[in-house]
Amino acid sequence: MKEKFYICVVNQLNYDVIITGARCAGASLAILLGKLGYKVLLLDRSQFPSNTTSTHIVGEIDIYKELGVFEQLQESGAPSLHRMRIDLDGTFFESDIIVTQRALGLRRTEFDYILLQKAASFSNVTVKQNHKVNKVLKDNEGKTIGVEVKSKNSVSKQYGTIIVGADGRNSTIASQVHSPYIYESEMMRAGIYGYFKDVNPLTHPCVEWYFNQGDIIFCTPTNDDLHTILVMPHPDHYRNMKQNVKATLLNSIMKNKNLRLRLENASLIDGVKGIGPLKMFIRHSFGSGWALVGDAGAWVHPVSGTGMDDAVLSAKELSIAIDLYFKGIKSWEDALHDYQTKRDQIINIQINRALSTLQRADQPLSAEKQAWLKLICTFPSIVYDLGNKGSDVLDFLHFKNQDDLKMLVSLEKRKIIHEMRRNHP
């Protein structure tokens, strides 16, 4: 048996910021700090392009333009999705999406790599792949001052003014700085997904959502002419999932006749990926010399569908806080407190939506309620009346986000009026 030897290197360079984790949160933060002129070291244990367990929806636009990657995302091969299609136990609802101009169902192999390449394009950003952080380094007063990093043939010590953990839900940085939990949920549903080729496409590609006999299914077309199908099985179905994950995925899909027909000639590639039941959480996001971003600081169940965007938006807020600190405009405590407040605003919205959605799905529609729903959708006049009294219906349902919805409806009305004027000058 060969004995392994490692060269120990003490790095004499001092970085402004060391970021551990080079996926969407870490790479985005490196881009933003690179644009501001800071010296950044971006580390990741993986070699890119590589996959990771994740949602696949990108809905934001402005932040990716700011990052300078919008065009690359648009040209990635994932079709732009402008419509939302909801299947409630066999009854369809479909419409244009009004919360964003478009969504993309992009695989992480492409998404993360696009961001990483952009970060590496800055001369003041050093990217090191296949570098795993083993340990957080602290001074005699307990302040975080660097990290010990293991690569293939060496162990090095890297020093920086600020150490950022962007290293995922099981963050080494969060663990070693003993970041406390601000919030933890109960155990949430498992989620499993696979990539399918030769799926019969819809005429107009959509973000597809299925309430499916207690299960929740996402289906989105992605790059390389594939479809991503994510199944979040009802808790009662999890026992079967533990025995055969692939069978659980396929059985859930095949229970839905509309989706089953689309997969008549399809095949699963690259195996099945996913997570078991986990708790959502929010961690305290900063301390002496360190900060957390992305899933390292807060993790929301994939039913929200916004994890990638939330990580990037949080990275933007952290870059602002770090810049204010370095410029002496705010103290570290004040700057990072503001970051945490804004981060929590982003995350708490998604946690509440995830909890609300999962609570609904835990109680599938009865056969009688499904029959009433089909009856409503059978008669065009009833559907018309439903649309005509949409605001009253939402009031009756005690919809909690009325103000947000009214704003969206107002924006949609303006868009429709603009289209009418353009087509009929």
Side-chain angles (χ1 to χ4, degrees), residues 371-391:
W372 279 111
L373 188 63
K374 288 176 171 56
L375 177 66
I376 290 170
C377 292
T378 299
F379 290 93
S381 58
I382 298 179
V383 174
Y384 178 88
D385 289 342
L386 190 66
N388 199 35
K389 298 184 180 296
S391 180

Side-chain angles (χ1 to χ4, degrees), residues 52-204:
T52 187
T53 302
S54 173
T55 54
H56 291 68
I57 299 294
V58 178
E60 293 290 332
I61 291 176
D62 291 344
I63 184 63
Y64 297 109
K65 289 182 178 179
E66 183 177 351
L67 291 170
V69 298
F70 179 74
E71 294 300 327
Q72 293 98 310
L73 295 178
Q74 291 296 102
E75 296 168 2
S76 64
S80 291
L81 307 174
H82 301 280
R83 293 182 67 77
M84 183 78 184
R85 180 181 175 97
I86 301 171
D87 180 331
L88 181 48
D89 285 317
T91 300
F92 281 119
F93 298 81
E94 185 177 327
S95 176
D96 291 340
I97 298 173
I98 65 172
V99 295
T100 182
Q101 293 177 26
R102 66 92 182 93
L104 294 175
L106 190 56
R107 297 174 74 182
R108 292 295 295 271
T109 45
E110 280 66 37
F111 181 69
D112 293 340
Y113 193 47
I114 287 170
L115 291 168
L116 183 72
Q117 287 181 306
K118 183 64 179 181
S121 71
F122 292 91
S123 60
N124 51 317
V125 176
T126 301
V127 176
K128 294 188 177 183
Q129 303 176 60
N130 291 322
H131 279 64
K132 179 184 177 183
V133 172
N134 286 333
K135 185 167 66 175
V136 169
L137 304 175
K138 299 182 181 181
D139 64 15
N140 293 333
E141 297 178 353
K143 180 182 178 182
T144 298
I145 58 172
V147 289
E148 182 182 278
V149 185
K150 180 181 176 182
S151 62
K152 184 177 181 180
N153 296 313
S154 68
V155 175
S156 63
K157 293 181 179 180
Q158 311 284 345
Y159 293 94
T161 305
I162 299 168
I163 311 302
V164 177
D167 48 343
R169 188 173 52 83
N170 298 313
S171 168
T172 298
I173 303 299
S175 174
Q176 295 201 12
V177 299
H178 306 294
S179 172
Y181 289 101
I182 298 172
Y183 165 82
E184 277 190 289
S185 72
E186 299 297 322
M187 283 290 186
M188 299 288 103
R189 291 183 180 213
I192 49 175
Y193 67 92
Y195 301 114
F196 291 80
K197 67 177 181 179
D198 298 325
V199 176
N200 294 330
L202 297 174
T203 304
H204 300 288

